[in-house]
Amino acid sequence: MKRLRRNPDESDPETNPDPDGETSFLKDQQERKCGLSSMRLMGFVVVALMLVSVVFSVSVVLHDPPSDGVLESAKDVRFLDVLESSEEQQVLEVKPQKIVGPVDDYAPSVEVRKDKLQGGLLAAGFDETSCVSRYQSVLYRNESLHKASPYLISRLRSYEALHKRCGPYTESYNKTLEKLKTGHHLESTDCNYLVWISFSGLGNRILTLASTFLYALLTNRVLLVDPGTDMVDLFCEPFPEVSWFLPPDFPLTSQFGSFNQKSPHCYGKMLKNSTFANSSKSISSSFVYLHLAHDYDDQDKLFFCDEDQTSLQEVPWLIMKSDNYFVPSLFLIPSFEQELGNLFPRKETVFHFLGRYLFHPTNQVWGLITRYYQAYLAKADERIGIQIRVFDTGTGPFEHVFDQIIACALKENLLPEISTEKPITNQSPKSKAVLVTSLSAGYFERLRDMYWEHPTVTGEMIGFYQPSHEEYQQTEKQFHNRKAWAEMYLLSLSDVLVTSSWSTFGYVAQSLGGLKPWILYKPENRTAPDPPCRRVMSMEPCFHAPPFYDCKAKRGIDTGAVVPHVRHCEDMSWGLKLVDNESEL
């Protein structure tokens, strides 16, 4: 734009007279034009600024719509409904909230959006305050590498509808309960039931309950859970509206403790005594007790045969006691094969999905989990879990066990070497938090002191933490089991995991977390094994007491060599576990 330049003396009539006024007129016209141009320019600038302001406001509103807020650990958690592939999917939006104090140090630095229904695995519509962990657990986990199949999601929604129609105190439940009280069933019922008896340690109970639910899903039965002494205290209700807990007035509850292989209604005993209505094994009793604990015999194990599944199909009430993860043997029953393949295209995800669907810590346990996580684990760049279970008799800690743990961690580069000769001047900003779970405090103390007294060769900062050390297992104590459940869950939040052979505690943690841990071999003769550990084939738990029987040939067989996806376990040579064909065998 051409600017008018003016001499400082031009405006003074005495120094620059213009008797005719022509020059003055021209200058006035030019000044008016310049002023109008400046006004137009300013107008354009104002309009542009207004447009930018409007666009910015609209973008903020669209990007951050109003929603229900929940404050959790310096995070503003908001629930949004988004439409994806014509299906409603709910997500959690996690945004940092500036709070003065150390809490802000581990608040997310960027916006994180997570699906609180885990890809449709969980049902919507629960009272979120009654079980905070159900929808908030995704905030503490790494994103799962696995997605539940659409068929599994569909079957879970169908089961929830069945449970709502047939659960405790419904019309169908009351009608079927009358048949149980009379002792006989004369015609088929609308709803059939599978009752799980609370039995054994917490890790075993979690694994057997998941197995029992899968069997209920396969046979269209309604699962009812014996609450025992602490199940209500540990786990939220997994199904909408109707409880999965067996009512306190159930007529057989008082007999649960006495059910065994000698009970008249035990299926194995009935087979031995041939107490059937006819040769086709038709069962006239209103209930059958299934003994699937570790001490079950050959007749009890016939439960895993197709012919026997047909016999059990019409029995209104099945009562089951088990301390085993018997899922691998369900995959060897021909009539279940296709359904299981549809539910779980990836075989190693069975407990991963069923565990995340069924087992949500109650608010009391969730408080233990989140408080510990935020206080000790959240700030670390990497979280390592080490689960130690020692089956040796005597007072620990044992030197050979400590040697084995260190050998595994160093050999697999899970922990850095330490320097015992010279100080390390170049410190790394990276930190690792190591969560140790053990009944003994000795292993934690040795590890902590080792990395406190000596620097790491990498300069990394290593912190060790142990929530509890109960010294011995106290299965019947409520708070002991709260802490045990909290520690299993905390282990499942690890990035890397080391577990102990034969331990159901470790099985639960690895499968919930979707982790393939390094498993410590069981020591023999109090000597550290060499190699000390190995990576597992799959994250599935091990079935410790499987049957070895060919139902068709009616002879013994190696059930770990029948199909490619059922193999012997890494930590127990006779056990069975599910693997995927592409897994390293």
Side-chain angles (χ1 to χ4, degrees), residues 188-489:
S188 61
T189 56
D190 295 334
C191 306
N192 289 335
Y193 296 86
L194 177 60
V195 176
W196 174 86
I197 296 177
S198 183
F199 173 64
S200 194
L202 182 58
N204 297 73
R205 280 186 279 160
I206 291 173
L207 296 179
T208 61
L209 185 48
S211 306
T212 307
F213 174 71
L214 179 57
Y215 179 66
L217 208 61
L218 293 169
T219 55
N220 293 311
R221 289 181 177 271
V222 177
L223 173 66
L224 295 178
V225 173
D226 167 25
T229 59
D230 59 4
M231 294 296 289
V232 176
D233 183 64
L234 299 175
F235 303 103
C236 298
E237 296 276 0
F239 313 131
E241 299 186 53
V242 178
S243 177
W244 72 336
F245 288 115
L246 197 66
D249 58 354
F250 185 69
L252 298 180
T253 300
S254 61
Q255 302 178 44
F256 286 171
S258 62
F259 278 149
N260 57 39
Q261 291 164 291
K262 297 180 181 179
S263 301
H265 288 87
C266 178
Y267 185 65
K269 184 177 178 63
M270 295 170 72
L271 289 174
K272 289 177 188 176
N273 298 339
S274 299
T275 54
F276 297 102
N278 51 53
S279 59
S280 65
K281 293 187 179 180
S282 176
I283 302 174
S284 59
S285 175
S286 59
F287 83 93
V288 168
Y289 166 64
L290 300 170
H291 187 83
L292 300 182
H294 65 278
D295 61 348
Y296 64 160
D297 61 24
D298 291 342
Q299 280 70 37
D300 296 317
K301 293 175 183 178
L302 293 176
F303 166 84
F304 295 103
C305 293
D306 249 337
E307 180 184 355
D308 296 82
Q309 284 300 316
T310 302
S311 300
L312 295 167
Q313 193 171 356
E314 297 302 321
V315 180
W317 292 91
L318 296 180
I319 316 294
M320 182 182 290
K321 180 187 287 185
S322 177
D323 55 1
N324 273 298
Y325 181 72
F326 56 82
V327 167
S329 286
L330 295 179
F331 276 78
L332 298 177
I333 300 176
S335 60
F336 294 158
E337 187 176 0
Q338 183 175 350
E339 180 74 357
L340 286 168
N342 293 335
L343 289 169
F344 303 102
R346 290 189 63 87
K347 308 299 186 292
E348 72 164 331
T349 62
V350 175
F351 187 84
H352 178 63
F353 288 130
L354 295 186
R356 289 191 173 194
Y357 174 72
L358 291 172
F359 303 117
H360 307 288
T362 56
N363 287 350
Q364 294 88 343
V365 179
W366 188 239
L368 294 176
I369 294 167
T370 54
R371 287 191 295 272
Y372 200 90
Y373 183 90
Q374 300 289 17
Y376 302 108
L377 307 177
K379 296 180 184 180
D381 298 304
E382 184 179 26
R383 283 161 286 278
I384 301 171
I386 300 180
Q387 181 262 330
I388 305 168
R389 180 73 165 95
V390 179
F391 293 95
D392 290 350
T393 57
T395 304
F398 300 100
E399 188 66 30
H400 68 278
V401 174
F402 179 78
D403 291 343
Q404 181 183 7
I405 295 166
I406 286 295
C408 176
L410 297 180
K411 179 178 180 291
E412 302 299 338
N413 296 316
L414 307 180
L415 289 176
E417 298 269 4
I418 60 170
S419 174
T420 57
E421 298 179 358
K422 57 182 180 179
I424 304 298
T425 55
N426 296 326
Q427 287 198 347
S428 168
K430 186 176 181 182
S431 64
K432 293 184 178 183
V434 183
L435 176 72
V436 179
T437 65
S438 173
L439 292 173
S440 168
Y443 304 106
F444 154 72
E445 290 170 352
R446 290 279 304 274
L447 288 165
R448 178 199 61 194
D449 292 348
M450 176 178 171
Y451 280 85
W452 178 35
E453 295 168 1
H454 305 284
T456 61
V457 295
T458 60
E460 294 173 285
M461 305 305 294
I462 313 296
F464 290 85
Y465 309 96
Q466 182 173 2
S468 71
H469 46 90
E470 301 288 289
E471 302 306 328
Y472 62 93
Q473 192 165 342
Q474 305 168 53
T475 301
E476 298 305 317
K477 288 192 175 181
Q478 185 181 72
F479 205 77
H480 173 87
N481 283 330
R482 277 190 191 180
K483 289 190 284 188
W485 178 212
E487 290 182 20
M488 286 185 219
Y489 210 95

Side-chain angles (χ1 to χ4, degrees), residues 87-126:
E87 294 182 0
E88 190 175 31
Q89 184 180 20
Q90 293 188 329
V91 300
L92 289 172
E93 184 177 333
V94 187
K95 299 186 74 175
Q97 180 169 339
K98 292 295 179 183
I99 296 177
V100 177
V103 173
D104 192 55
D105 293 342
Y106 53 80
S109 58
V110 294
E111 179 186 288
V112 180
R113 293 167 66 86
K114 291 195 174 185
D115 171 22
K116 71 173 185 174
L117 300 184
Q118 301 183 41
L121 184 69
L122 305 183
F126 283 92

Side-chain angles (χ1 to χ4, degrees), residues 511-564:
S511 297
L512 278 180
L515 302 167
K516 289 184 181 180
W518 280 265
I519 192 163
L520 298 166
Y521 287 112
K522 190 173 182 294
E524 300 291 341
N525 301 318
R526 299 205 170 187
T527 302
D530 186 18
C533 61
R534 66 159 288 182
R535 193 83 181 268
V536 300
M537 295 179 288
S538 79
M539 58 188 173
E540 272 289 290
C542 179
F543 182 8
H544 285 177
F548 296 99
Y549 185 71
D550 186 328
C551 297
K552 289 185 178 179
K554 300 189 184 302
R555 60 178 176 83
I557 191 176
D558 180 3
T559 48
V562 176
V563 294

